[in-house]
Amino acid sequence: MSLRPFRSIDRKKTRVISVGDIKIGGNNPISVQSMTNTLTTDIKSTIKQINAIHEEGADIVRVSCPDEKSSHALKEISKNVKIPIIADIHFHYKRAIEAAENGAKCLRINPGNIGDKKKIYDVLSAAKNNDCSIRIGVNAGSLERDILEKYKEPCPEALVESAIRNIKILEDQNFFNLKVSVKSSDVFLSIAAYRQLSKMTNYPLHLGITEAGSFVSGSVKSSIGLGSLLLDGIGDTIRVSLSDDPVKEVKVGNEILKSLGLKNRGVKIISCPSCARQAFQVIDTVKVLEERLAHIKTPVTLSIIGCVVNGPGEAAMTDVGITGGGNGNNMLYLSGVQSEKVLTDEIINKVVSEVEKKASQLEKEL
């Protein structure tokens, strides 16, 4: 039994599928993904952005293929990146076939939008022949006409009915290497749809609040929507959709998972908002430390607290901690134990050094 059962999340055990060498579903870690916003035909810029997305901690990346030149560009792009590529396909079935043949490891499609069954079968054949999975991407903004007429407006039942219909199209052709999403820009609609779908299918679910908005508003909406579902044990891969740099999407996605104990990567900083009691500039210190410690991938916990009200208690639960003290004499904690006093102007270099030491120690133990 867990020592802290209130922190336990009982994840639903879904079917395991592969996106390249990334396993999704079952007991596998929840993967984080983003999407490039470069022109796919600008191969050099797209490769550069994918590598930056990967460096920030993405497991998978999605690339839009709106035309033939874009889908063929995947051949060169996939050779120069280290994470699997999902080809984002809308309407034209030939783009899906070309993407599968040129290195994509997953196709994001809505079978109902592809056209007649012969075209869908050709896409599935290309996916099978190239070991390519499929994400059925249902979106509140592009539901099938008959479903929209039936329900009058996008609602949870409409999104789920569309998803189940499209799942059956693939299953009827003995295709099961798939995951599903039922996205909306409305948090309530998304949460309700995913909860319903999770009860009706065992396929892994891709979570997202689509078109969430700018960095601040989109991060908040995504945290509420994805966080609510993840706490329910729902979700196998996530994407935070922001009108911003895709690298920031990955950062926010990882932070959501880290805050729920679903992913451990890099330095987790616990810091106070600061007040008149602070013995050093907490906000500025945290900003600098985030940059100076961005290279560390090993999970390390760090507390930066400006005074002794909560400082010692927080430091007792982190690998490295700093608590503000009078006259610039701040206290360094290592593994929850007081270590030494640190002058204010030495805090950043001392903390960086100790976090790096701890990360190195943990790497050796692993």
Side-chain angles (χ1 to χ4, degrees):
M1 183 177 175
S2 172
L3 292 174
R4 300 179 180 89
F6 57 88
R7 292 182 181 173
S8 298
I9 294 177
D10 185 18
R11 283 183 63 195
K12 178 178 176 178
K13 298 301 183 290
T14 52
R15 177 193 294 265
V16 177
I17 70 163
S18 297
V19 177
D21 58 0
I22 300 296
K23 300 291 185 183
I24 295 176
N27 293 314
N28 292 291
I30 296 171
S31 60
V32 176
Q33 57 184 272
S34 182
M35 184 174 180
T36 57
N37 58 17
T38 55
L39 286 174
T40 306
T41 49
D42 184 348
I43 294 174
K44 185 176 180 180
S45 295
T46 302
I47 290 171
K48 182 179 179 181
Q49 189 172 76
I50 290 174
N51 287 333
I53 288 169
H54 179 216
E55 181 63 26
E56 188 61 41
D59 305 289
I60 306 168
V61 65
R62 183 153 49 108
V63 176
S64 182
C65 295
D67 50 43
E68 184 177 358
K69 193 174 179 181
S70 295
S71 55
H72 282 281
L74 294 184
K75 188 169 187 177
E76 185 65 22
I77 294 169
S78 62
K79 291 178 181 177
N80 291 279
V81 299
K82 296 180 180 178
I83 55 176
I85 292 175
I86 300 171
D88 194 65
I89 308 295
H90 291 275
F91 304 113
H92 207 301
Y93 80 106
K94 286 188 177 179
R95 301 294 85 81
I97 295 171
E98 293 159 359
E101 293 174 343
N102 283 283
K105 296 302 179 183
C106 180
L107 305 175
R108 185 276 186 195
I109 64 172
N110 189 330
N113 290 339
I114 291 292
D116 61 57
K117 289 187 177 180
K118 174 64 168 62
K119 293 177 180 178
I120 296 172
Y121 298 161
D122 287 346
V123 171
L124 297 182
S125 178
K128 288 180 180 178
N129 292 338
N130 292 280
D131 195 23
C132 198
S133 59
I134 284 179
R135 169 160 76 92
I136 294 174
V138 175
N139 194 305
S142 56
L143 286 169
E144 294 94 326
R145 183 177 298 174
D146 66 312
I147 289 179
L148 201 52
E149 288 177 354
K150 175 181 177 180
Y151 291 99
K152 308 306 179 187
E153 66 176 5
C155 62
E157 292 75 16
L159 269 66
V160 171
E161 183 171 324
S162 177
I164 297 300
R165 173 189 293 182
N166 286 296
I167 288 172
K168 189 175 187 307
I169 292 173
L170 272 60
E171 288 181 334
D172 286 347
Q173 294 301 306
N174 295 313
F175 193 97
F176 307 99
N177 189 23
L178 64 98
K179 52 194 172 83
V180 192
S181 64
V182 279
K183 290 187 179 183
S184 168
S185 58
D186 181 284
V187 174
F188 295 95
L189 176 53
S190 297
I191 292 173
Y194 275 111
R195 283 175 174 164
Q196 285 188 26
L197 183 61
S198 180
K199 295 176 181 177
M200 298 177 68
T201 183
N202 197 41
Y203 289 107
L205 299 184
H206 166 101
L207 302 187
I209 305 298
T210 193
E211 297 147 359
S214 63
F215 179 73
V216 174
S217 61
S219 296
V220 171
K221 286 175 68 176
S222 296
S223 297
I224 294 170
L226 274 60
S228 298
L229 292 165
L230 292 166
L231 281 166
D232 285 345
I234 297 170
D236 302 282
T237 179
I238 67 170
R239 189 248 174 136
V240 174
S241 299
L242 303 175
S243 300
D244 211 312
D245 186 341
V247 172
K248 292 183 181 179
E249 295 185 348
V250 180
K251 186 176 183 64
V252 174
N254 275 308
E255 287 300 324
I256 290 171
L257 294 178
K258 283 164 67 176
S259 69
L260 296 175
L262 292 169
K263 192 161 197 169
N264 291 311
R265 183 185 187 274
V267 181
K268 180 179 181 181
I269 299 179
I270 297 165
S271 60
C272 68
S274 79
C275 68
R277 293 192 303 267
Q278 67 178 354
F280 61 91
Q281 291 295 321
V282 173
I283 294 173
D284 293 341
T285 300
V286 171
K287 287 180 179 178
V288 174
L289 285 173
E290 281 186 328
E291 293 182 6
R292 291 278 301 273
L293 297 173
H295 64 289
I296 294 178
K297 311 306 178 190
T298 305
V300 177
T301 53
L302 167 65
S303 57
I304 306 293
I305 309 296
C307 75
V308 296
V309 173
N310 293 323
E314 294 292 355
M317 297 185 287
T318 54
D319 296 314
V320 179
I322 282 283
T323 295
N327 300 316
N329 290 306
N330 313 288
M331 181 58 66
L332 173 71
Y333 290 76
L334 300 177
S335 300
V337 179
Q338 285 189 7
S339 176
E340 60 183 284
K341 290 183 178 180
V342 180
L343 296 176
T344 297
D345 60 2
E346 296 175 357
I347 285 177
I348 290 174
N349 287 336
K350 186 64 176 177
V351 167
V352 170
S353 174
E354 293 299 336
V355 170
E356 288 178 338
K357 286 180 187 177
K358 185 63 178 180
S360 179
Q361 175 192 333
L362 291 171
E363 287 169 8
K364 290 176 181 177
E365 291 175 359
L366 291 173

